[in-house]
Structure formats: C-alpha cells, structure tokens
Amino acid sequence: MLKVGITGNIGSGKTTVSRIFEILGVPVFYADDAAKTVMVEDPILIDSLKKEFGGESYFDDGSLNRKHIASIVFHNETQLAKLNAIVHPAVFRAFDNWVGSIKEAPYVMKEAALLFESSSYKMCDKTIMVTAPLELRISRVMQRDNLSHAEVESRNARQFPEEKKTQLADFVIRNDDTELVIPQVLELHRKFSSLVQ
Ligand code: ATP
C-alpha cells in the first residue's frame, strides 16, 4: 500500500487539504488525533509515561493529567524529547495497525504536524508539504482557536521552518489564496493513483 505523508506548519491548512483527499476516497490517518488516543489506550505507552513522569500522569479514572505533563515539558526541551520518544513509537504502531486494517484504497495518507520533526516521513513513500505565508497562517489560527498573535507565533517557532520542510517534501500544495487548492489536490491524486496501477 502506497503511503503518503502530508504535513504543514500551524495554520497551513493540512487538515483542510486532507479532508479533500478523503472526499476523493483516500483513507487518512490523523496522527495528532491518534496521539491523543494512544496516550490513554496503549498499555506500553501508559507504563512508560508513568515511569518517566510519575503515577500522577494519569487520574484514577485512566484519563490523562495533561496539566501535569504540560508543566513538566512546556519549557524543558529534554523532557519534551523524552515525551516524544514515548509517544511517537506508539503512534507509529497505531498507524501500522490502521494500514493493516484498510482493505481497499488506491493509497493511504498520514496527516501529521510533526511528520519531518518526528522522522515519521521515513515510513512514507511520498510526502506533501502544505504551505501558506506566516501572517496568513497566524491570522487563520487566531480566528480558529481564539489565540493571540504572540501565542500562535510561539507555537509556530517550535516547528521546523517552512523552507526546511518544503525542501524535504516531494510535493508542495500552496494554500495561500493565490492558487486554487482543489486542482492541486486532483493533480496529486491522479499522480498517486497512477503510481499504484
Ligand atoms: P493546525 O496545525 O493548527 O492543526 P492545520 O494546518 O491543520 O492547522 P487547518 O485547521 O486545516 O490547518 O486550517 C486552519 C484554519 O484555516 C481553519 O479554520 C481552516 O478552516 C482555515 N483555512 C484553511 N485553508 C483555508 C483556505 N484556503 N481558505 C480559507 N480558510 C482556510
């Protein structure tokens, strides 16, 4: 099964673009949603997290104590790297299981904000980077999440710069209001579908 990774920095529109692929019949795995699920469902991950960050990482009902985890990793790169080293492999396992469950599809996609940062792009046959200028991305997210300009800017600063990811990606979709998005999606859809015929 051909695996296509799709990413983009905050507010680029990677989820919006992924939904268009879904409308075309392409199954999409949303890695960020999967990360939230595995944190409360994957026994290996739960065990590792408790060992690393303490039993108080979970409440008695099994739900995640997000505040506790956030307070440890927020301003500490080393702790954040430790958290990622626990969560990313669990998401990789979930993706593998999910791919195995797909019976029929021309290809599948993995949507992940940190596709390149987490090295999960290495598990994909092709990659797409969705781009848009910083100010446009910031204004989209301010509107969507009711955040300040500075808050969105600081979240963006934690991701690799767009230029770096654009260089690493096989394909780029420009979602910057200067080019229509659907024709760009259709062109890639035709390309990927023909690769597997
Ligand atoms: P994040 O990394 O923050 O999850 P994202 O890259 O997945 O963001 P989306 O959630 O798809 O981005 O888009 C961000 C916001 O911008 C959403 O509210 C979405 O509806 C809007 N948006 C995306 N693309 C466009 C567009 N071409 N025109 C207008 N609004 C758009």
Side-chain angles (χ1 to χ4, degrees):
M1 184 84 71
L2 184 81
K3 295 173 203 148
V4 179
I6 182 164
T7 191
N9 273 2
I10 187 164
S12 59
K14 60 192 163 296
T15 306
T16 307
V17 171
S18 300
R19 301 266 184 237
I20 305 174
F21 279 99
E22 269 191 296
I23 291 167
L24 296 171
V26 180
V28 181
F29 177 89
Y30 292 91
D32 300 340
D33 293 343
K36 289 185 188 128
T37 307
V38 293
M39 286 183 92
V40 290
E41 285 185 2
D42 186 307
I44 303 171
L45 179 153
I46 294 170
D47 224 42
S48 311
L49 214 58
K50 283 182 180 168
K51 277 196 188 117
E52 193 63 55
F53 298 121
E56 62 271 47
S57 301
Y58 288 88
F59 295 110
D60 290 344
D61 65 0
S63 59
L64 185 69
N65 186 345
R66 288 183 189 284
K67 267 196 185 150
H68 172 70
I69 305 283
S71 70
I72 296 173
V73 305
F74 198 66
H75 290 296
N76 190 323
E77 289 297 322
T78 312
Q79 298 294 353
L80 180 62
K82 278 185 194 163
L83 176 66
N84 284 336
I86 294 170
V87 176
H88 289 158
V91 177
F92 296 169
R93 289 194 289 276
F95 179 62
D96 280 344
N97 287 340
W98 175 84
V99 171
S101 74
I102 304 290
K103 298 278 172 283
E104 225 175 287
Y107 58 95
V108 296
M109 294 184 84
K110 180 181 197 179
E111 191 251 46
L114 302 181
L115 190 77
F116 291 111
E117 291 88 337
S118 73
S119 294
S120 73
Y121 72 100
K122 289 178 186 160
M123 294 163 74
C124 298
D125 304 296
K126 299 286 173 199
T127 54
I128 304 171
M129 172 71 183
V130 181
T131 65
L134 179 62
E135 280 310 317
L136 179 58
R137 292 192 283 109
I138 290 177
S139 72
R140 282 175 182 163
V141 178
M142 285 172 68
Q143 207 168 356
R144 185 193 63 190
D145 298 342
N146 207 14
L147 293 173
S148 71
H149 191 283
E151 280 169 321
V152 185
E153 224 173 5
S154 90
R155 287 177 195 203
N156 179 68
R158 278 185 251 139
Q159 304 180 325
F160 280 180
E162 250 197 358
E163 305 73 46
K164 180 171 177 174
K165 293 183 180 179
T166 305
Q167 279 174 7
L168 289 168
D170 297 306
F171 303 98
V172 172
I173 290 181
R174 285 177 59 183
N175 182 24
D176 59 2
D177 295 344
T178 65
E179 231 177 290
L180 290 173
V181 171
I182 292 174
Q184 298 180 68
V185 171
L186 288 175
E187 193 189 329
L188 288 181
H189 181 61
R190 272 193 290 271
K191 202 167 269 176
F192 299 142
S193 300
S194 72
L195 280 179
V196 290
Q197 271 162 16

PDB file of all heavy atoms in Angstrom, residues 7-19 32 111 113 130 136-137 139-141 143-145 159 175-177 179 181, ligand 1:
ATOM      1  N   THR A   7       1.888  17.143   5.589  1.00  0.00           N
ATOM      2  CA  THR A   7       2.178  17.991   6.736  1.00  0.00           C
ATOM      3  C   THR A   7       2.117  19.458   6.337  1.00  0.00           C
ATOM      4  O   THR A   7       1.797  19.794   5.186  1.00  0.00           O
ATOM      5  CB  THR A   7       3.548  17.619   7.346  1.00  0.00           C
ATOM      6  OG1 THR A   7       3.696  18.274   8.603  1.00  0.00           O
ATOM      7  CG2 THR A   7       4.709  18.003   6.440  1.00  0.00           C
ATOM      8  N   GLY A   8       2.428  20.302   7.276  1.00  0.00           N
ATOM      9  CA  GLY A   8       2.409  21.743   7.051  1.00  0.00           C
ATOM     10  C   GLY A   8       2.500  22.379   8.416  1.00  0.00           C
ATOM     11  O   GLY A   8       2.110  21.767   9.417  1.00  0.00           O
ATOM     12  N   ASN A   9       3.018  23.583   8.478  1.00  0.00           N
ATOM     13  CA  ASN A   9       3.128  24.225   9.779  1.00  0.00           C
ATOM     14  C   ASN A   9       1.761  24.714  10.254  1.00  0.00           C
ATOM     15  O   ASN A   9       0.781  24.656   9.512  1.00  0.00           O
ATOM     16  CB  ASN A   9       4.159  25.363   9.717  1.00  0.00           C
ATOM     17  CG  ASN A   9       5.559  24.838   9.991  1.00  0.00           C
ATOM     18  OD1 ASN A   9       5.750  23.635  10.177  1.00  0.00           O
ATOM     19  ND2 ASN A   9       6.532  25.715  10.021  1.00  0.00           N
ATOM     20  N   ILE A  10       1.729  25.192  11.463  1.00  0.00           N
ATOM     21  CA  ILE A  10       0.460  25.583  12.088  1.00  0.00           C
ATOM     22  C   ILE A  10      -0.337  26.528  11.175  1.00  0.00           C
ATOM     23  O   ILE A  10       0.213  27.490  10.633  1.00  0.00           O
ATOM     24  CB  ILE A  10       0.724  26.215  13.482  1.00  0.00           C
ATOM     25  CG1 ILE A  10      -0.575  26.472  14.216  1.00  0.00           C
ATOM     26  CG2 ILE A  10       1.588  27.473  13.412  1.00  0.00           C
ATOM     27  CD1 ILE A  10      -0.410  26.720  15.705  1.00  0.00           C
ATOM     28  N   GLY A  11      -1.617  26.175  10.970  1.00  0.00           N
ATOM     29  CA  GLY A  11      -2.499  27.024  10.167  1.00  0.00           C
ATOM     30  C   GLY A  11      -2.302  26.954   8.663  1.00  0.00           C
ATOM     31  O   GLY A  11      -2.946  27.687   7.913  1.00  0.00           O
ATOM     32  N   SER A  12      -1.445  26.040   8.221  1.00  0.00           N
ATOM     33  CA  SER A  12      -1.191  25.946   6.772  1.00  0.00           C
ATOM     34  C   SER A  12      -2.423  25.415   6.034  1.00  0.00           C
ATOM     35  O   SER A  12      -2.620  25.692   4.849  1.00  0.00           O
ATOM     36  CB  SER A  12      -0.003  25.017   6.499  1.00  0.00           C
ATOM     37  OG  SER A  12      -0.279  23.730   7.020  1.00  0.00           O
ATOM     38  N   GLY A  13      -3.243  24.633   6.749  1.00  0.00           N
ATOM     39  CA  GLY A  13      -4.434  24.055   6.122  1.00  0.00           C
ATOM     40  C   GLY A  13      -4.260  22.588   5.782  1.00  0.00           C
ATOM     41  O   GLY A  13      -4.989  22.044   4.967  1.00  0.00           O
ATOM     42  N   LYS A  14      -3.314  21.919   6.464  1.00  0.00           N
ATOM     43  CA  LYS A  14      -3.076  20.500   6.140  1.00  0.00           C
ATOM     44  C   LYS A  14      -4.301  19.625   6.424  1.00  0.00           C
ATOM     45  O   LYS A  14      -4.573  18.689   5.693  1.00  0.00           O
ATOM     46  CB  LYS A  14      -1.838  19.949   6.839  1.00  0.00           C
ATOM     47  CG  LYS A  14      -1.899  20.013   8.339  1.00  0.00           C
ATOM     48  CD  LYS A  14      -0.562  19.730   8.952  1.00  0.00           C
ATOM     49  CE  LYS A  14      -0.514  20.194  10.391  1.00  0.00           C
ATOM     50  NZ  LYS A  14      -0.655  21.655  10.561  1.00  0.00           N
ATOM     51  N   THR A  15      -5.041  19.958   7.496  1.00  0.00           N
ATOM     52  CA  THR A  15      -6.246  19.170   7.798  1.00  0.00           C
ATOM     53  C   THR A  15      -7.314  19.434   6.739  1.00  0.00           C
ATOM     54  O   THR A  15      -7.943  18.498   6.233  1.00  0.00           O
ATOM     55  CB  THR A  15      -6.785  19.527   9.205  1.00  0.00           C
ATOM     56  OG1 THR A  15      -5.716  19.370  10.144  1.00  0.00           O
ATOM     57  CG2 THR A  15      -7.933  18.623   9.599  1.00  0.00           C
ATOM     58  N   THR A  16      -7.478  20.686   6.379  1.00  0.00           N
ATOM     59  CA  THR A  16      -8.466  21.054   5.351  1.00  0.00           C
ATOM     60  C   THR A  16      -8.144  20.333   4.040  1.00  0.00           C
ATOM     61  O   THR A  16      -9.021  19.761   3.398  1.00  0.00           O
ATOM     62  CB  THR A  16      -8.430  22.595   5.146  1.00  0.00           C
ATOM     63  OG1 THR A  16      -8.599  23.227   6.410  1.00  0.00           O
ATOM     64  CG2 THR A  16      -9.508  23.048   4.182  1.00  0.00           C
ATOM     65  N   VAL A  17      -6.862  20.327   3.656  1.00  0.00           N
ATOM     66  CA  VAL A  17      -6.446  19.670   2.411  1.00  0.00           C
ATOM     67  C   VAL A  17      -6.646  18.151   2.521  1.00  0.00           C
ATOM     68  O   VAL A  17      -7.119  17.504   1.580  1.00  0.00           O
ATOM     69  CB  VAL A  17      -4.972  20.026   2.074  1.00  0.00           C
ATOM     70  CG1 VAL A  17      -4.453  19.194   0.915  1.00  0.00           C
ATOM     71  CG2 VAL A  17      -4.838  21.518   1.773  1.00  0.00           C
ATOM     72  N   SER A  18      -6.346  17.598   3.695  1.00  0.00           N
ATOM     73  CA  SER A  18      -6.517  16.152   3.892  1.00  0.00           C
ATOM     74  C   SER A  18      -7.975  15.753   3.734  1.00  0.00           C
ATOM     75  O   SER A  18      -8.285  14.679   3.227  1.00  0.00           O
ATOM     76  CB  SER A  18      -6.012  15.730   5.275  1.00  0.00           C
ATOM     77  OG  SER A  18      -4.644  16.042   5.400  1.00  0.00           O
ATOM     78  N   ARG A  19      -8.880  16.628   4.196  1.00  0.00           N
ATOM     79  CA  ARG A  19     -10.319  16.332   4.064  1.00  0.00           C
ATOM     80  C   ARG A  19     -10.713  16.254   2.582  1.00  0.00           C
ATOM     81  O   ARG A  19     -11.603  15.486   2.222  1.00  0.00           O
ATOM     82  CB  ARG A  19     -11.176  17.404   4.746  1.00  0.00           C
ATOM     83  CG  ARG A  19     -10.900  17.569   6.222  1.00  0.00           C
ATOM     84  CD  ARG A  19     -11.844  16.723   7.097  1.00  0.00           C
ATOM     85  NE  ARG A  19     -11.594  17.006   8.510  1.00  0.00           N
ATOM     86  CZ  ARG A  19     -11.260  16.109   9.436  1.00  0.00           C
ATOM     87  NH1 ARG A  19     -11.137  14.841   9.116  1.00  0.00           N
ATOM     88  NH2 ARG A  19     -11.047  16.463  10.688  1.00  0.00           N
ATOM     89  N   ASP A  32      -2.165  13.353  14.915  1.00  0.00           N
ATOM     90  CA  ASP A  32      -2.300  14.124  16.156  1.00  0.00           C
ATOM     91  C   ASP A  32      -3.493  13.631  16.978  1.00  0.00           C
ATOM     92  O   ASP A  32      -3.434  13.585  18.209  1.00  0.00           O
ATOM     93  CB  ASP A  32      -2.391  15.630  15.857  1.00  0.00           C
ATOM     94  CG  ASP A  32      -1.123  16.103  15.140  1.00  0.00           C
ATOM     95  OD1 ASP A  32      -0.094  15.415  15.228  1.00  0.00           O
ATOM     96  OD2 ASP A  32      -1.167  17.150  14.469  1.00  0.00           O
ATOM     97  N   GLU A 111      -1.621  12.237   8.049  1.00  0.00           N
ATOM     98  CA  GLU A 111      -1.540  13.677   8.296  1.00  0.00           C
ATOM     99  C   GLU A 111      -0.879  13.885   9.648  1.00  0.00           C
ATOM    100  O   GLU A 111      -1.354  13.358  10.658  1.00  0.00           O
ATOM    101  CB  GLU A 111      -2.949  14.283   8.274  1.00  0.00           C
ATOM    102  CG  GLU A 111      -2.946  15.801   8.249  1.00  0.00           C
ATOM    103  CD  GLU A 111      -3.400  16.425   9.558  1.00  0.00           C
ATOM    104  OE1 GLU A 111      -2.933  15.971  10.620  1.00  0.00           O
ATOM    105  OE2 GLU A 111      -4.199  17.358   9.496  1.00  0.00           O
ATOM    106  N   ALA A 113       1.424  16.908  11.997  1.00  0.00           N
ATOM    107  CA  ALA A 113       2.060  18.229  12.102  1.00  0.00           C
ATOM    108  C   ALA A 113       3.585  18.073  12.143  1.00  0.00           C
ATOM    109  O   ALA A 113       4.322  18.871  11.576  1.00  0.00           O
ATOM    110  CB  ALA A 113       1.566  18.949  13.354  1.00  0.00           C
ATOM    111  N   VAL A 130       2.087  21.320   2.877  1.00  0.00           N
ATOM    112  CA  VAL A 130       1.108  22.379   2.595  1.00  0.00           C
ATOM    113  C   VAL A 130       1.687  23.690   3.120  1.00  0.00           C
ATOM    114  O   VAL A 130       2.128  23.756   4.270  1.00  0.00           O
ATOM    115  CB  VAL A 130      -0.253  22.081   3.275  1.00  0.00           C
ATOM    116  CG1 VAL A 130      -1.274  23.168   2.962  1.00  0.00           C
ATOM    117  CG2 VAL A 130      -0.779  20.704   2.844  1.00  0.00           C
ATOM    118  N   LEU A 136      -0.621  34.879   7.190  1.00  0.00           N
ATOM    119  CA  LEU A 136      -1.922  34.285   6.846  1.00  0.00           C
ATOM    120  C   LEU A 136      -2.205  33.110   7.778  1.00  0.00           C
ATOM    121  O   LEU A 136      -3.326  32.940   8.286  1.00  0.00           O
ATOM    122  CB  LEU A 136      -1.910  33.832   5.373  1.00  0.00           C
ATOM    123  CG  LEU A 136      -3.177  33.153   4.844  1.00  0.00           C
ATOM    124  CD1 LEU A 136      -4.397  34.046   4.984  1.00  0.00           C
ATOM    125  CD2 LEU A 136      -2.998  32.752   3.366  1.00  0.00           C
ATOM    126  N   ARG A 137      -1.183  32.302   8.037  1.00  0.00           N
ATOM    127  CA  ARG A 137      -1.359  31.149   8.929  1.00  0.00           C
ATOM    128  C   ARG A 137      -1.714  31.617  10.338  1.00  0.00           C
ATOM    129  O   ARG A 137      -2.581  31.064  11.002  1.00  0.00           O
ATOM    130  CB  ARG A 137      -0.087  30.283   8.929  1.00  0.00           C
ATOM    131  CG  ARG A 137       0.150  29.592   7.594  1.00  0.00           C
ATOM    132  CD  ARG A 137       1.215  28.519   7.674  1.00  0.00           C
ATOM    133  NE  ARG A 137       2.578  29.039   7.711  1.00  0.00           N
ATOM    134  CZ  ARG A 137       3.367  29.021   8.773  1.00  0.00           C
ATOM    135  NH1 ARG A 137       2.947  28.478   9.905  1.00  0.00           N
ATOM    136  NH2 ARG A 137       4.588  29.512   8.725  1.00  0.00           N
ATOM    137  N   SER A 139      -3.143  34.441  11.210  1.00  0.00           N
ATOM    138  CA  SER A 139      -4.496  35.014  11.303  1.00  0.00           C
ATOM    139  C   SER A 139      -5.551  33.907  11.253  1.00  0.00           C
ATOM    140  O   SER A 139      -6.567  33.982  11.947  1.00  0.00           O
ATOM    141  CB  SER A 139      -4.728  36.069  10.219  1.00  0.00           C
ATOM    142  OG  SER A 139      -4.840  35.446   8.970  1.00  0.00           O
ATOM    143  N   ARG A 140      -5.307  32.832  10.488  1.00  0.00           N
ATOM    144  CA  ARG A 140      -6.263  31.710  10.455  1.00  0.00           C
ATOM    145  C   ARG A 140      -6.408  31.075  11.833  1.00  0.00           C
ATOM    146  O   ARG A 140      -7.515  30.791  12.289  1.00  0.00           O
ATOM    147  CB  ARG A 140      -5.769  30.625   9.489  1.00  0.00           C
ATOM    148  CG  ARG A 140      -5.992  30.939   8.023  1.00  0.00           C
ATOM    149  CD  ARG A 140      -5.332  29.841   7.198  1.00  0.00           C
ATOM    150  NE  ARG A 140      -5.444  30.078   5.771  1.00  0.00           N
ATOM    151  CZ  ARG A 140      -4.695  29.465   4.865  1.00  0.00           C
ATOM    152  NH1 ARG A 140      -3.775  28.607   5.242  1.00  0.00           N
ATOM    153  NH2 ARG A 140      -4.855  29.714   3.582  1.00  0.00           N
ATOM    154  N   VAL A 141      -5.260  30.849  12.495  1.00  0.00           N
ATOM    155  CA  VAL A 141      -5.296  30.147  13.783  1.00  0.00           C
ATOM    156  C   VAL A 141      -5.830  31.058  14.892  1.00  0.00           C
ATOM    157  O   VAL A 141      -6.552  30.600  15.788  1.00  0.00           O
ATOM    158  CB  VAL A 141      -3.906  29.562  14.133  1.00  0.00           C
ATOM    159  CG1 VAL A 141      -3.924  28.872  15.495  1.00  0.00           C
ATOM    160  CG2 VAL A 141      -3.469  28.566  13.062  1.00  0.00           C
ATOM    161  N   GLN A 143      -8.100  33.179  14.517  1.00  0.00           N
ATOM    162  CA  GLN A 143      -9.549  33.143  14.327  1.00  0.00           C
ATOM    163  C   GLN A 143     -10.143  31.796  14.766  1.00  0.00           C
ATOM    164  O   GLN A 143     -11.149  31.747  15.466  1.00  0.00           O
ATOM    165  CB  GLN A 143      -9.856  33.377  12.852  1.00  0.00           C
ATOM    166  CG  GLN A 143     -11.197  33.997  12.626  1.00  0.00           C
ATOM    167  CD  GLN A 143     -11.342  34.472  11.177  1.00  0.00           C
ATOM    168  OE1 GLN A 143     -10.412  34.390  10.376  1.00  0.00           O
ATOM    169  NE2 GLN A 143     -12.503  34.950  10.842  1.00  0.00           N
ATOM    170  N   ARG A 144      -9.443  30.708  14.358  1.00  0.00           N
ATOM    171  CA  ARG A 144      -9.966  29.373  14.651  1.00  0.00           C
ATOM    172  C   ARG A 144      -9.956  29.069  16.146  1.00  0.00           C
ATOM    173  O   ARG A 144     -10.910  28.540  16.691  1.00  0.00           O
ATOM    174  CB  ARG A 144      -9.139  28.312  13.899  1.00  0.00           C
ATOM    175  CG  ARG A 144      -9.683  26.902  14.032  1.00  0.00           C
ATOM    176  CD  ARG A 144      -8.694  25.862  13.545  1.00  0.00           C
ATOM    177  NE  ARG A 144      -7.482  25.877  14.352  1.00  0.00           N
ATOM    178  CZ  ARG A 144      -6.362  25.221  14.049  1.00  0.00           C
ATOM    179  NH1 ARG A 144      -6.296  24.517  12.944  1.00  0.00           N
ATOM    180  NH2 ARG A 144      -5.314  25.288  14.834  1.00  0.00           N
ATOM    181  N   ASP A 145      -8.833  29.418  16.828  1.00  0.00           N
ATOM    182  CA  ASP A 145      -8.650  28.989  18.217  1.00  0.00           C
ATOM    183  C   ASP A 145      -8.762  30.131  19.230  1.00  0.00           C
ATOM    184  O   ASP A 145      -8.497  29.929  20.409  1.00  0.00           O
ATOM    185  CB  ASP A 145      -7.276  28.314  18.380  1.00  0.00           C
ATOM    186  CG  ASP A 145      -7.151  27.058  17.524  1.00  0.00           C
ATOM    187  OD1 ASP A 145      -8.201  26.533  17.099  1.00  0.00           O
ATOM    188  OD2 ASP A 145      -6.013  26.620  17.270  1.00  0.00           O
ATOM    189  N   GLN A 159       8.126  24.589  15.518  1.00  0.00           N
ATOM    190  CA  GLN A 159       8.156  23.656  14.393  1.00  0.00           C
ATOM    191  C   GLN A 159       9.352  24.007  13.498  1.00  0.00           C
ATOM    192  O   GLN A 159       9.855  25.127  13.541  1.00  0.00           O
ATOM    193  CB  GLN A 159       6.847  23.778  13.592  1.00  0.00           C
ATOM    194  CG  GLN A 159       5.619  23.544  14.471  1.00  0.00           C
ATOM    195  CD  GLN A 159       4.296  23.650  13.713  1.00  0.00           C
ATOM    196  OE1 GLN A 159       4.147  24.446  12.806  1.00  0.00           O
ATOM    197  NE2 GLN A 159       3.340  22.834  14.115  1.00  0.00           N
ATOM    198  N   ASN A 175      -1.457  26.741  -0.218  1.00  0.00           N
ATOM    199  CA  ASN A 175      -2.797  27.091   0.268  1.00  0.00           C
ATOM    200  C   ASN A 175      -2.752  28.537   0.751  1.00  0.00           C
ATOM    201  O   ASN A 175      -2.963  28.841   1.911  1.00  0.00           O
ATOM    202  CB  ASN A 175      -3.196  26.137   1.402  1.00  0.00           C
ATOM    203  CG  ASN A 175      -4.599  26.416   1.903  1.00  0.00           C
ATOM    204  OD1 ASN A 175      -5.438  26.972   1.192  1.00  0.00           O
ATOM    205  ND2 ASN A 175      -4.859  26.035   3.140  1.00  0.00           N
ATOM    206  N   ASP A 176      -2.439  29.445  -0.206  1.00  0.00           N
ATOM    207  CA  ASP A 176      -2.169  30.827   0.197  1.00  0.00           C
ATOM    208  C   ASP A 176      -3.108  31.839  -0.454  1.00  0.00           C
ATOM    209  O   ASP A 176      -2.796  33.016  -0.546  1.00  0.00           O
ATOM    210  CB  ASP A 176      -0.714  31.175  -0.136  1.00  0.00           C
ATOM    211  CG  ASP A 176      -0.418  31.013  -1.623  1.00  0.00           C
ATOM    212  OD1 ASP A 176      -1.353  30.670  -2.382  1.00  0.00           O
ATOM    213  OD2 ASP A 176       0.738  31.235  -2.019  1.00  0.00           O
ATOM    214  N   ASP A 177      -4.249  31.353  -0.916  1.00  0.00           N
ATOM    215  CA  ASP A 177      -5.259  32.227  -1.531  1.00  0.00           C
ATOM    216  C   ASP A 177      -4.831  32.803  -2.882  1.00  0.00           C
ATOM    217  O   ASP A 177      -5.520  33.660  -3.420  1.00  0.00           O
ATOM    218  CB  ASP A 177      -5.668  33.383  -0.588  1.00  0.00           C
ATOM    219  CG  ASP A 177      -6.359  32.868   0.658  1.00  0.00           C
ATOM    220  OD1 ASP A 177      -6.777  31.700   0.658  1.00  0.00           O
ATOM    221  OD2 ASP A 177      -6.470  33.645   1.629  1.00  0.00           O
ATOM    222  N   GLU A 179      -3.550  30.520  -5.292  1.00  0.00           N
ATOM    223  CA  GLU A 179      -3.701  29.382  -6.195  1.00  0.00           C
ATOM    224  C   GLU A 179      -4.855  28.508  -5.712  1.00  0.00           C
ATOM    225  O   GLU A 179      -4.968  28.286  -4.495  1.00  0.00           O
ATOM    226  CB  GLU A 179      -2.416  28.544  -6.152  1.00  0.00           C
ATOM    227  CG  GLU A 179      -1.849  28.259  -7.539  1.00  0.00           C
ATOM    228  CD  GLU A 179      -0.540  27.500  -7.438  1.00  0.00           C
ATOM    229  OE1 GLU A 179       0.455  28.107  -7.002  1.00  0.00           O
ATOM    230  OE2 GLU A 179      -0.528  26.322  -7.768  1.00  0.00           O
ATOM    231  N   VAL A 181      -6.801  25.390  -4.554  1.00  0.00           N
ATOM    232  CA  VAL A 181      -6.271  24.201  -3.884  1.00  0.00           C
ATOM    233  C   VAL A 181      -6.764  22.903  -4.531  1.00  0.00           C
ATOM    234  O   VAL A 181      -5.997  21.955  -4.713  1.00  0.00           O
ATOM    235  CB  VAL A 181      -6.644  24.235  -2.375  1.00  0.00           C
ATOM    236  CG1 VAL A 181      -6.308  22.929  -1.695  1.00  0.00           C
ATOM    237  CG2 VAL A 181      -5.905  25.377  -1.702  1.00  0.00           C
TER     238      VAL A 181
HETATM  239  P1  ATP B   1      -3.015  23.119  12.811  1.00  0.00           P
HETATM  240  O1  ATP B   1      -1.617  22.712  12.584  1.00  0.00           O
HETATM  241  O2  ATP B   1      -3.109  24.279  13.698  1.00  0.00           O
HETATM  242  O3  ATP B   1      -3.909  21.983  13.239  1.00  0.00           O
HETATM  243  P2  ATP B   1      -3.798  22.970  10.015  1.00  0.00           P
HETATM  244  O4  ATP B   1      -2.552  23.104   9.221  1.00  0.00           O
HETATM  245  O5  ATP B   1      -4.374  21.601  10.145  1.00  0.00           O
HETATM  246  O6  ATP B   1      -3.617  23.665  11.422  1.00  0.00           O
HETATM  247  P3  ATP B   1      -6.422  23.793   9.236  1.00  0.00           P
HETATM  248  O7  ATP B   1      -7.033  23.504  10.559  1.00  0.00           O
HETATM  249  O8  ATP B   1      -6.759  22.924   8.096  1.00  0.00           O
HETATM  250  O9  ATP B   1      -4.856  23.942   9.358  1.00  0.00           O
HETATM  251  O10 ATP B   1      -6.735  25.292   8.815  1.00  0.00           O
HETATM  252  C1  ATP B   1      -6.556  26.375   9.743  1.00  0.00           C
HETATM  253  C2  ATP B   1      -7.776  27.292   9.647  1.00  0.00           C
HETATM  254  O11 ATP B   1      -7.736  27.969   8.412  1.00  0.00           O
HETATM  255  C3  ATP B   1      -9.098  26.546   9.699  1.00  0.00           C
HETATM  256  O12 ATP B   1     -10.033  27.327  10.416  1.00  0.00           O
HETATM  257  C4  ATP B   1      -9.490  26.418   8.235  1.00  0.00           C
HETATM  258  O13 ATP B   1     -10.887  26.374   8.058  1.00  0.00           O
HETATM  259  C5  ATP B   1      -8.897  27.700   7.644  1.00  0.00           C
HETATM  260  N1  ATP B   1      -8.451  27.528   6.252  1.00  0.00           N
HETATM  261  C6  ATP B   1      -7.583  26.614   5.789  1.00  0.00           C
HETATM  262  N2  ATP B   1      -7.390  26.757   4.462  1.00  0.00           N
HETATM  263  C7  ATP B   1      -8.172  27.797   4.085  1.00  0.00           C
HETATM  264  C8  ATP B   1      -8.418  28.460   2.835  1.00  0.00           C
HETATM  265  N3  ATP B   1      -7.821  28.070   1.706  1.00  0.00           N
HETATM  266  N4  ATP B   1      -9.292  29.486   2.836  1.00  0.00           N
HETATM  267  C9  ATP B   1      -9.889  29.891   3.975  1.00  0.00           C
HETATM  268  N5  ATP B   1      -9.698  29.333   5.179  1.00  0.00           N
HETATM  269  C10 ATP B   1      -8.849  28.301   5.237  1.00  0.00           C
END
